[in-house]
Amino acid sequence: MSKYWSNIVKEIKPYVPGEQPHNKKFIKLNTNENPYPPSINVISAIKNAANESLRLYPDPTCNELKEIVAQYYGLKKEHIFVGNGSDELLAFSFLAFFNPGDTIIFPDITYTFYEVYASLFRINYMTIPVDDNFNIPIEKFYGNNDGIIIANPNAPTGIAVHIDSIRNILEKNISKVVIIDEAYIDFGGESSVELLKEYPNILILHTLSKSRSLAGLRIGLALGNGDLIEGLNRVKNSINSYTVDRIALIGAEEAFKDKVYFEEVRAKIIFTRKAISKKLKELGFMVVDSKANFIFISHPKVHALQLFKKLKEYGVLVRHFNRPRIDNYLRVSIGTDEEMEYFYGVLKDLLRPSPNPAR
Amino acid sequence: MSKYWSNIVKEIKPYVPGEQPHNKKFIKLNTNENPYPPSINVISAIKNAANESLRLYPDPTCNELKEIVAQYYGLKKEHIFVGNGSDELLAFSFLAFFNPGDTIIFPDITYTFYEVYASLFRINYMTIPVDDNFNIPIEKFYGNNDGIIIANPNAPTGIAVHIDSIRNILEKNISKVVIIDEAYIDFGGESSVELLKEYPNILILHTLSKSRSLAGLRIGLALGNGDLIEGLNRVKNSINSYTVDRIALIGAEEAFKDKVYFEEVRAKIIFTRKAISKKLKELGFMVVDSKANFIFISHPKVHALQLFKKLKEYGVLVRHFNRPRIDNYLRVSIGTDEEMEYFYGVLKDLLRPSPNPAR
């Protein structure tokens, strides 16, 4: 605590991201990175873009990327905002659409960064408890709020919300902004992009960090109607005119162009998720039905924290959240088949009835 | 104006960056970019870093870059914060060290983004008028404020403040944070880095966009005592854990390692600045004494806006600020000798007494 800090900085509890080990020997199943590399077209485009033009500022409007993304989703350029990862987009959205003193709502079990943004910008929030199976009670999001944010699929559970539920929420909150955080949408959920044409109050957030294997480049997208996008532009131009660099723009463009590779990668991850889920259930695990690139698991006999520690000891990093209702769960990113095989082997050994109880 | 916008987004007047033409034929002397490319080591390191590791998040602590920068300035890693350009650092600093309702002070003629940050975060500001020669009245910064920001060299004038003046300001405001924005320090000003060891209240901002030719990569640095840096970390971790991507980190590291090239580039720019200043004075221009990579000029006979338009017509972009006291000035970035020769030629033709007054 420093006397030089502002009050909010004294009070705030910053978000704590998953561990990024400097020791590369770990199997990293803790930050939902993609186990497969980006498209080779991304790599070669970046190599080409490493040239003298780096002396110049990037295009602050991200025009070319917007054109490509617009075409991909069947939208117009005016519907798209480009940011430095979807976390930056969340921060900008909270500033752009919610006032200090407003009360926004989101599920009690969700991305924990939402409460940090709310605190930072002095926005009140109320959490809506998910049910015992982690399902979001949709009707509780009908009115009585100054804004809504829902992750779909939700994190860290992986549970997806049906598009009709999103439609109902939009309908019942037509004068408020409803943010749908679709960071994990490409792994089996149903995107709400088509609802943009019907509803002026939906803002959809995407990231290239997950399904497009570009966590290292920092690119997120916001999709919404023109005046919401303009609100985000106003925030950006009051903070940092150029948040996305030349290399990231070019990498993102190529990632969107290579649809074949994108489809291949996400199909592989979905396949691996199904396979590991089945095997873990056979080991007695409760496996939440995930539409994301991670699974949320719990075992009736061994506490999650114990599993976490054992996995780390064996070189596997997963995520444990020391929070009410979910402290006996682990969030495990979907790695390659080989990585999941090793992860499964560690758990299997651990859960095997020991011949020597003293051990 | 949208009913979905927050109050602050309705009120704010965002910063307007210099034009980034999509038409590449312009000689761009309007956004203070470096006319010389980054070090070839930067280029080749980026080409090497374009690999499958882009699927992984960057190091959120920017550890390696901090080590290199710390060594460069004779500081410790704990004195360094890395951000997405110095604009992001400014935004974070305003949030970290100033409270809503506080009154901060800065010169009336300076980087116009400061007032945008203050407005965005509901911080009051008072501007201290520079004198008729654009010099900052140092004594007016002694006390009676909740924080100070001074660009040294100042923008858009280019005038540098002596380190003893900075020392006096720090001394007289020991309980407040004093931000010294040294974006242009490498072109002839005197850095206040050495004052870090004496004063707990100084925060120095640097950028790699100017002297290191990396505007396209987005990297800024904040240098200050441990608790100021920790305050910035708390803000960053409440907004976006990873603001600097893998490629940018690697590019920045190489830029700092190649001291020889850095010295060569900045010497060339200083040389060109002196040469063009001299020639413009011979044409009758008032040329403010600049320690930056731009000059601030005015002509007694032709209005700046007219010059601006004529230059644009001839393919040269410079910056004109439509603001009190400086609307008859142009800010001109220092380009290559060839570019400055062309720029000079246009002005010379323009100012030449016309043989045909009707033209």
Side-chain angles (χ1 to χ4, degrees):
Chain A
M1 189 75 70
S2 160
K3 66 174 174 176
Y4 293 118
W5 292 359
S6 65
N7 296 330
I8 190 68
V9 164
K10 284 179 187 154
E11 291 162 25
I12 195 105
K13 286 186 190 152
Y15 179 74
V16 180
E19 199 177 340
Q20 297 292 356
H22 295 276
N23 178 342
K24 293 211 175 172
K25 280 181 218 151
F26 280 105
I27 292 181
K28 273 193 90 255
L29 306 179
N30 69 330
T31 54
N32 299 340
E33 288 150 330
N34 197 310
Y36 301 106
S39 157
I40 50 167
N41 298 347
V42 171
I43 305 286
S44 61
I46 293 177
K47 285 186 199 288
N48 285 333
N51 60 43
E52 76 101 38
S53 73
L54 290 175
R55 73 179 180 83
L56 300 171
Y57 282 100
D59 171 15
T61 67
C62 308
N63 195 52
E64 282 182 47
L65 177 57
K66 280 184 192 167
E67 300 257 17
I68 290 166
V69 171
Q71 205 182 351
Y72 184 92
Y73 288 114
L75 299 171
K76 289 182 189 157
K77 229 168 49 177
E78 292 69 35
H79 294 139
I80 293 152
F81 179 87
V82 181
N84 182 289
S86 58
D87 284 344
E88 182 182 88
L89 298 177
L90 284 164
F92 285 4
S93 301
F94 276 52
L95 255 180
F97 309 120
F98 309 140
N99 288 306
D102 277 1
T103 300
I104 61 167
I105 59 174
F106 46 82
D108 65 338
I109 294 174
T110 193
Y111 188 28
T112 54
F113 221 140
Y114 301 157
E115 61 192 42
V116 180
Y117 297 122
S119 305
L120 182 66
F121 300 128
R122 308 270 188 198
I123 300 156
N124 300 321
Y125 63 91
M126 207 170 66
T127 58
I128 307 293
V130 298
D131 70 18
D132 289 343
N133 299 315
F134 301 125
N135 290 303
I136 294 173
I138 298 302
E139 307 73 27
K140 299 245 168 83
F141 287 81
Y142 293 173
N144 271 326
N145 67 76
D146 299 309
I148 290 174
I149 178 154
I150 289 177
N152 183 30
N154 200 10
T157 64
I159 294 177
V161 176
H162 195 277
I163 192 168
D164 290 340
S165 299
I166 302 289
R167 186 193 304 272
N168 288 338
I169 290 173
L170 291 168
E171 192 75 47
K172 305 277 189 181
N173 295 282
I174 205 74
S175 67
K176 307 296 173 187
V177 174
V178 177
I179 302 174
I180 307 297
D181 180 350
E182 294 191 350
Y184 300 103
I185 199 67
D186 292 325
F187 301 105
E190 209 176 355
S191 175
S192 295
V193 167
E194 63 183 81
L195 299 180
L196 283 189
K197 284 164 189 164
E198 291 173 64
Y199 295 96
N201 56 328
I202 184 171
L203 188 81
I204 297 170
L205 304 184
H206 282 189
T207 174
L208 278 74
S209 300
K210 310 298 179 184
S211 57
R212 296 180 196 272
S213 308
L214 286 174
L217 270 198
R218 321 303 308 122
I219 316 119
L221 302 169
L223 314 173
N225 273 281
D227 58 344
L228 299 192
I229 298 305
E230 183 52 27
L232 290 174
N233 274 324
R234 291 176 70 89
V235 169
K236 184 185 95 149
N237 288 323
S238 303
I239 289 185
N240 184 1
S241 316
Y242 311 92
T243 67
V244 184
D245 69 51
R246 285 180 165 262
I247 299 281
L249 284 173
I250 280 165
E253 286 160 24
E254 292 302 318
F256 264 91
K257 285 186 202 161
D258 193 347
K259 288 185 201 173
V260 173
Y261 183 73
F262 166 73
E263 293 295 345
E264 183 189 320
V265 164
R266 70 169 173 169
K268 279 203 280 193
I269 289 167
I270 292 169
F271 184 86
T272 305
R273 181 183 70 213
K274 286 182 180 162
I276 185 72
S277 298
K278 183 162 175 285
K279 289 174 78 175
L280 290 173
K281 281 178 190 163
E282 286 163 10
L283 281 186
F285 276 92
M286 207 306 253
V287 183
V288 178
D289 180 34
S290 170
K291 300 288 186 213
N293 70 335
F294 54 82
I295 47 175
F296 200 51
I297 63 172
S298 183
H299 198 276
K301 295 199 180 138
V302 191
H303 194 274
L305 199 54
Q306 203 182 325
L307 293 172
F308 174 86
K309 285 176 183 164
K310 211 71 192 175
L311 283 163
K312 189 162 183 182
E313 200 181 309
Y314 281 86
V316 183
L317 284 180
V318 299
R319 193 94 201 252
H320 175 257
F321 296 91
N322 190 18
R323 289 177 67 96
R325 304 187 69 188
I326 58 170
D327 61 338
N328 196 17
Y329 281 79
L330 294 179
R331 192 196 66 185
V332 183
S333 309
I334 302 299
T336 61
D337 286 332
E338 203 180 7
E339 287 170 334
M340 298 322 278
E341 197 56 50
Y342 179 83
F343 158 78
Y344 172 76
V346 174
L347 290 179
K348 195 175 169 190
D349 278 358
L350 192 67
L351 293 164
R352 186 188 301 159
S354 169
N356 174 4
R359 196 195 159 201
Chain B
M1 189 75 71
S2 160
K3 64 175 177 177
Y4 293 119
W5 291 358
S6 66
N7 296 331
I8 189 67
V9 164
K10 284 179 189 155
E11 292 162 25
I12 195 104
K13 285 187 193 152
Y15 179 74
V16 180
E19 198 177 342
Q20 296 293 355
H22 295 276
N23 179 342
K24 294 205 178 177
K25 281 180 220 152
F26 279 105
I27 293 181
K28 271 192 93 257
L29 305 179
N30 68 329
T31 54
N32 298 340
E33 289 150 330
N34 198 309
Y36 302 105
S39 155
I40 49 166
N41 299 347
V42 170
I43 306 287
S44 61
I46 292 177
K47 286 186 197 288
N48 285 333
N51 59 41
E52 76 103 39
S53 73
L54 290 175
R55 72 179 181 84
L56 300 171
Y57 282 100
D59 171 15
T61 66
C62 308
N63 195 52
E64 283 182 48
L65 177 57
K66 281 184 192 167
E67 300 258 18
I68 290 166
V69 172
Q71 207 183 348
Y72 184 92
Y73 287 114
L75 299 171
K76 290 183 189 156
K77 228 169 50 177
E78 292 69 35
H79 294 139
I80 293 150
F81 179 87
V82 181
N84 182 288
S86 59
D87 284 344
E88 182 182 87
L89 299 177
L90 285 164
F92 286 4
S93 302
F94 275 51
L95 256 180
F97 309 120
F98 308 140
N99 288 306
D102 278 1
T103 300
I104 62 168
I105 59 174
F106 47 82
D108 65 337
I109 293 173
T110 192
Y111 188 29
T112 53
F113 222 140
Y114 301 155
E115 61 191 43
V116 180
Y117 297 121
S119 304
L120 182 66
F121 300 127
R122 308 269 187 201
I123 300 156
N124 301 321
Y125 62 90
M126 208 170 68
T127 57
I128 308 291
V130 297
D131 70 18
D132 288 343
N133 298 316
F134 301 125
N135 290 302
I136 295 173
I138 299 302
E139 307 73 28
K140 299 248 168 81
F141 286 82
Y142 293 172
N144 270 328
N145 67 77
D146 299 308
I148 291 174
I149 179 155
I150 289 177
N152 184 28
N154 199 11
T157 64
I159 294 177
V161 177
H162 195 276
I163 192 168
D164 291 340
S165 299
I166 303 288
R167 187 194 304 272
N168 288 339
I169 291 173
L170 291 168
E171 192 77 46
K172 305 279 188 183
N173 295 282
I174 204 73
S175 67
K176 306 296 174 187
V177 174
V178 178
I179 302 173
I180 307 296
D181 180 351
E182 293 190 349
Y184 300 102
I185 198 68
D186 292 325
F187 301 105
E190 208 177 355
S191 175
S192 295
V193 168
E194 64 182 77
L195 299 179
L196 283 189
K197 284 163 189 164
E198 292 173 62
Y199 295 95
N201 56 329
I202 184 172
L203 188 80
I204 298 171
L205 304 185
H206 281 187
T207 176
L208 278 76
S209 299
K210 310 298 179 186
S211 56
R212 295 179 196 274
S213 309
L214 286 173
L217 271 198
R218 318 305 306 123
I219 317 121
L221 301 169
L223 314 173
N225 274 280
D227 58 344
L228 299 191
I229 298 305
E230 182 52 27
L232 291 174
N233 274 322
R234 291 175 69 89
V235 169
K236 183 184 95 148
N237 288 321
S238 302
I239 290 184
N240 184 1
S241 316
Y242 311 94
T243 65
V244 184
D245 69 52
R246 285 181 165 261
I247 299 283
L249 284 173
I250 280 165
E253 286 161 26
E254 292 302 319
F256 264 91
K257 285 185 202 161
D258 194 346
K259 289 183 201 174
V260 173
Y261 183 72
F262 166 73
E263 293 297 345
E264 182 188 320
V265 164
R266 69 167 172 170
K268 278 203 280 194
I269 289 167
I270 292 168
F271 183 87
T272 305
R273 181 184 69 213
K274 286 181 182 164
I276 185 72
S277 297
K278 184 164 175 285
K279 288 176 77 173
L280 290 173
K281 281 177 191 163
E282 287 163 10
L283 280 186
F285 276 93
M286 206 305 252
V287 183
V288 179
D289 179 33
S290 169
K291 301 288 186 211
N293 71 336
F294 54 82
I295 46 175
F296 201 51
I297 62 171
S298 184
H299 198 277
K301 295 200 182 135
V302 190
H303 194 273
L305 198 57
Q306 202 183 328
L307 294 172
F308 173 86
K309 285 177 184 164
K310 210 72 191 172
L311 283 162
K312 189 164 181 180
E313 199 181 309
Y314 282 86
V316 183
L317 284 180
V318 299
R319 192 92 201 254
H320 175 258
F321 297 91
N322 189 18
R323 289 176 67 95
R325 301 188 70 187
I326 58 170
D327 60 338
N328 197 16
Y329 282 79
L330 294 179
R331 192 196 67 186
V332 183
S333 310
I334 302 299
T336 60
D337 285 332
E338 202 181 7
E339 287 170 334
M340 298 322 278
E341 196 55 50
Y342 180 83
F343 157 79
Y344 171 77
V346 174
L347 291 180
K348 196 175 168 190
D349 278 358
L350 193 66
L351 293 164
R352 184 187 305 158
S354 170
N356 174 7
R359 195 192 160 202

